Amino acid sequence: MAKQYDVVVIGSGPAGYVAAIRCAQLGLSTACIEKWLNKEAKTVFGGTCLNVGCIPSKALLDSSHKYVEAQQHMAVHGIKIDKVAMDVPTMIARKDKVVNQLTVGVKGLFTANQVDGIAGQGKLIAKDKVLVTAHDGSQEEITAKYVILASGSVPVDIPPTPIDQETVVDSTGALEFQEVPKRLGVIGAGVIGLELGSVWARLGAEVTVLEALGDFLPAVDRQIAKEALKILSRQGLHIKLGARVTGSKLSKAAKKSITVEYTDAEGDQKVQFDKLIVAVGRRPYTEALLDDSVGIEKDERGFIRVNDQCATNIPNVYAVGDVVRGPMLAHKGMEEGVMVAERLADKKTQVNYDLVPSVIYTHPEIAWVGKNEEELQAAGTEYNVGTFPFAASGRALAANDAEGMVKLIADAKTDRILGCHIIGASAADLLQEMVIAMEFSASAEDIGLTMFSHPALSEALHEAALAANGHAIHIGNRKRRK
Ligand code: FAD
Ligand code: AMP
């Protein structure tokens, strides 16, 4: 007799495991199927985010940031360090430990919430039936009232630079280098390319980022992107814009290197690297997930087609996370997972897709939510802008970490906050204050009338909000109305 559940979730990344836990909390019998095997060939839950994404990349960013701090930023405090050295294998092992702790944690959450975690490959073979193929090849069918597809995404590879995970790696391979490459190439100046490029640049690699587009970070507010380019270039990232990679040649020598061919405004170019990270984006992953007979629709880019509530075209089958439209971000998938679970329990939960925060975890961090100036201009919306540089923040100066700025944009007529754009230390956490404010439809005046602790980095938000209405206290006011 086939196992029966109210809900079967395929995939245990942040979208899938959150959906499964919330379903179980709401009293639905739930299973979550996961095929991921870790380096020790053990099933682990947590998907890309925990295993090879958000968490390991932040672990390496934090380690490499501490290295730079120790090497460059201690003397000013009067702290003398004779010699700073990096032990890369220890850094990688610490990263693995953090990953392990969190994936074991998800398993624990499954147990605590009575979610059945099932190891193996799940395939939707009918709208209420999933075939599970275990790693030993054995198969079983599970029936479910509802199925949630959460199979995530994988790195895109491009024909000019085939991945061998040795000299030419994707984001997963870039988390595993056992020594600092002397010359590191990165293809793609997106979030992942900049984060991973930063890790290895901080540790001493000579990093060149080749980006096909002429604009740097086109999704980011222009003023913030310009500041980011300046700061990251100063940190030693050689970012070449308008450089499209067209081919590559691996050397045959014992110590492998790769020659990358690219085209820029000056014509055909060549550059040699010891390692190359290909970070040109991610694509939805649906391999062996769907039997054609079920008839789940995908869009032209391979994403499973869903409506605003993450329902597919087939009744009782839902899809969440990177495998559906929208930004490929862990928190976006988690909120979708909660939304679907709660809707199955007859709640009217809805994700607010207008307020998905984005963060690039370089140092300083780059974080934004809502509309930027360019988008508002294109829409013909009148707005006020308030900015505040961290160079004028007492807390930032005390911490000797005062690069960057906060920019707040408010509707000129209603004063409602339309967007917040930050480059600075702890930008991700600061931004969240504005995400909450915007979720409650706050105006710039509301923020201006709110008391902020002194001294704190968040005072920059307060001042930017005051500046939007022309009465910042700790900076000259140049009210800008567009
Ligand atoms: P995934 O996390 O990809 O999980 C899908 C899971 O489904 C996988 O475990 C897979 O094995 C499993 N699966 C697939 N098909 C099947 C099947 N048929 N049967 C069983 N199991 C299956 N996002 C952020 O928000 N913040 C960050 O800082 C951030 N940093 C990142 C850094 C890097 C280097 C990378 C690569 C990504 C980063 N992301 C970040 C993106 C983030 O990891 C993804 O948006 C997120 O993991 C997507 O979650 P998901 O649950 O949709 O899919
Ligand atoms: P993201 O999708 O944010 O991770 O960014 C990936 C980046 O890689 C995009 O900015 C693309 O323009 C860039 N890219 C894609 N293909 C190439 C290529 N052949 N050469 C250089 N850059 C590329």
Side-chain angles (χ1 to χ4, degrees), residues 11 46 69 80 93 130 150 154 156 160-161 167 171 190 205 237 240 253 289 296 387 398-399 409 435 455 480:
E69 288 275 286
K80 294 201 174 100
V130 175
V154 288
V156 167
T161 51
T167 310
S171 57
L237 288 180
K240 291 184 188 284
L289 175 72
I296 298 279
T387 58
I409 306 179
V435 180
R480 276 212 290 144

Side-chain angles (χ1 to χ4, degrees), residues 158 187-188 190-191 210-213 243-245 279-281:
I158 49 173
I187 309 181
V191 179
L210 301 170
E211 168 56 56
L213 298 176
R244 172 168 294 280
V245 172
V280 295

Side-chain angles (χ1 to χ4, degrees), residues 7-33 45-46 50 102-117 148 150 320 333-334 336-342 344-345 347:
V7 184
V8 168
V9 183
I10 305 182
S12 74
Y17 83 72
V18 168
I21 290 172
R22 191 69 189 119
C23 283
Q25 285 174 347
L26 290 163
L28 300 160
S29 63
T30 307
C32 184
I33 305 167
F45 300 104
L50 264 52
L102 288 165
T103 54
V104 167
V106 173
K107 198 172 170 195
L109 290 172
F110 277 180
T111 308
N113 287 284
Q114 295 178 313
V115 171
D116 281 354
I148 304 176
V320 291
M334 292 193 212
E336 288 179 335
V338 169
M339 171 175 70
V340 169
E342 297 198 343
L344 296 185
K347 295 178 188 284

